[in-house]
Amino acid sequence: MNTTKKLTEAALLSSLFIVVTIIAVGTGFGYAIYLDFIVPIFFCIICLKCDLKYTVLSGVTSLLIISLVLGNLGTAIWASQSVLLGIMCGYFINKPTMVMDDLVYGSIFGIIVMVFIDIYASALIGYSFMKEFQGYSKLIYFNGYANIIYYLMIALFPFGMVFCIYFLSLILGYKLHILGSNSLKKYLIFKNFRSLNQFLCSSKKVFYICVSYLVIFKILKLLNIKVDFVYLKTILISIAYLCVYFIVRDSCMSLQNFIISKFRKLLYARISFLIIILLLFFMFNVTMVGLIIVNAFLNKKINIRLNQTNIVNKQINILIENKF
């Protein structure tokens, strides 16, 4: 009975999506905010409401019908990007995982999806966000910085998309009363983001996956092994930029929390953060290695990641017990 109910709900929501998409694309509104934000949030909500398998079925049938009715394969391909991102966010929100782990995996998946969709979308509809970002990067006149800005924008764009879809879907899911126990905890984390932000971190597994990726990436670079396929090269470099961001963020947060707990001085933590930023600017590689070593030491010595996670879980459990 429950299976039939979920299948029926997914079918009804699919019908609604098809009708709204045809109207939105027909009026021109679909190529603005609709395909980029409303569609992924819509499918994320379907995933939260109807489970993964019915959401995947809903996405496939909806895209097929839209491409047949509109006769525009380009629109279906562009919409498929949003559908995939929405389903992915819904899948992670339902899982008993850490929020930062969701954002790491989601951002990496987002880069892969958006780059490969860009290949087909640029050929069919003439728009390419990669080419647009390349144009922006050329506005940077300092030698060596244009490529950095280019890959940084490609890395941050999917990260920003995933973060917005994840966050807005949690808010809407809470308003619709469809959040389960795992998703409710993640909603409360975002609701209390200002107080919990300094304790949010990725798991030890994800942290060392990012570190391992950077080590392999650096070794390949030192061995002068080049990837000629431009899209694959873009994916590999953009993922490396994301790994750098999450490693630096986690390491800085852990170090600051250790300093505060050790010396009881917030000023010391802020000074350490400024010093790290300066060192990253002038001695990036050495500072990255130093941050990884310090973080590994803190995790081994006092298990700082587990302590931070316990603080977050304890606060969320208190909120749930007090019914927010």
Side-chain angles (χ1 to χ4, degrees):
M1 183 67 182
N2 191 40
T3 300
T4 305
K5 180 182 177 182
K6 289 181 178 180
L7 182 60
T8 305
E9 288 175 343
L12 291 172
L13 291 171
S14 299
S15 302
L16 177 62
F17 167 71
I18 292 168
V19 173
V20 174
T21 301
I22 292 173
I23 295 172
V25 172
T27 57
F29 176 68
Y31 293 104
I33 194 173
Y34 178 76
L35 284 179
D36 289 332
F37 288 101
I38 297 178
V39 171
I41 293 172
F42 186 86
F43 274 90
C44 186
I45 294 298
I46 295 178
C47 192
L48 293 176
K49 178 71 174 174
C50 306
D51 292 341
L52 179 64
K53 57 183 178 181
Y54 300 117
T55 310
V56 173
L57 180 62
S58 170
V60 172
T61 54
S62 297
L63 292 172
L64 181 61
I65 293 172
I66 287 171
S67 63
L68 292 173
V69 172
L70 293 177
N72 187 343
L73 187 59
T75 300
I77 291 175
W78 194 354
S80 65
Q81 169 185 291
S82 300
V83 170
L84 286 171
L85 289 177
I87 294 174
M88 179 269 299
C89 286
Y91 171 76
F92 282 124
I93 288 173
N94 275 328
K95 296 283 286 183
T97 51
M98 300 168 66
V99 168
M100 293 307 300
D101 285 2
D102 293 350
L103 294 179
V104 173
Y105 288 133
S107 299
I108 292 173
F109 179 78
I111 288 175
I112 296 171
V113 169
M114 296 179 79
V115 168
F116 277 106
I117 291 296
D118 189 74
I119 299 174
Y120 300 101
S122 59
L124 291 168
I125 63 178
Y127 173 79
S128 169
F129 81 93
M130 288 178 60
K131 291 179 181 178
E132 186 173 342
F133 286 164
Q134 201 165 30
Y136 294 152
S137 66
K138 290 178 181 178
L139 297 175
I140 309 299
Y141 296 105
F142 299 104
N143 291 331
Y145 283 93
N147 283 335
I148 293 175
I149 298 298
Y150 169 64
Y151 290 118
L152 188 61
M153 285 191 291
I154 291 178
L156 291 179
F157 183 57
F159 171 68
M161 286 283 293
V162 169
F163 182 85
C164 290
I165 296 166
Y166 194 100
F167 175 60
L168 294 174
S169 296
L170 281 172
I171 294 175
L172 185 57
Y174 176 73
K175 297 294 184 183
L176 295 173
H177 305 288
I178 60 173
L179 297 182
S181 59
N182 295 323
S183 50
L184 180 60
K185 290 179 180 179
K186 293 175 181 179
Y187 165 77
L188 291 174
I189 288 174
F190 275 98
K191 185 179 179 181
N192 298 273
F193 189 79
R194 290 185 63 183
S195 60
L196 297 177
N197 177 46
Q198 69 182 96
F199 303 111
L200 294 178
C201 62
S202 57
S203 65
K204 189 190 301 184
K205 176 185 174 182
V206 170
F207 180 81
Y208 286 117
I209 286 175
C210 291
V211 172
S212 300
Y213 181 87
L214 287 183
V215 170
I216 295 171
F217 184 83
K218 193 67 176 179
I219 291 172
L220 293 177
K221 190 175 181 180
L222 291 173
L223 294 175
N224 202 27
I225 298 176
K226 297 181 180 180
V227 178
D228 295 325
F229 185 47
V230 63
Y231 290 104
L232 180 58
K233 179 181 178 181
T234 300
I235 290 172
L236 294 176
I237 296 176
S238 299
I239 291 176
Y241 274 67
L242 274 179
C243 290
V244 167
Y245 166 75
F246 285 111
I247 289 172
V248 170
R249 184 202 174 277
D250 274 16
S251 299
C252 287
M253 289 295 181
S254 296
L255 182 58
Q256 288 183 77
N257 288 331
F258 171 74
I259 291 172
I260 292 172
S261 64
K262 183 74 174 177
F263 301 102
R264 306 294 178 181
K265 295 284 187 179
L266 183 60
L267 179 62
Y268 291 172
R270 291 176 176 173
I271 292 173
S272 68
F273 178 74
L274 291 175
I275 292 172
I276 290 171
I277 296 299
L278 291 173
L279 289 174
L280 284 170
F281 186 78
F282 292 107
M283 299 184 298
F284 181 81
N285 290 330
V286 175
T287 307
M288 280 294 299
V289 173
L291 286 173
I292 292 170
I293 292 173
V294 169
N295 195 273
F297 174 78
L298 290 175
N299 200 53
K300 183 72 174 178
K301 192 72 175 178
I302 61 174
N303 214 347
I304 195 164
R305 287 180 181 274
L306 181 60
N307 292 334
Q308 290 179 187
T309 303
N310 287 338
I311 291 172
V312 173
N313 291 335
K314 183 179 179 181
Q315 184 63 35
I316 295 303
N317 289 333
I318 291 173
L319 289 172
I320 292 175
E321 288 175 3
N322 296 331
K323 295 183 179 179
F324 315 163

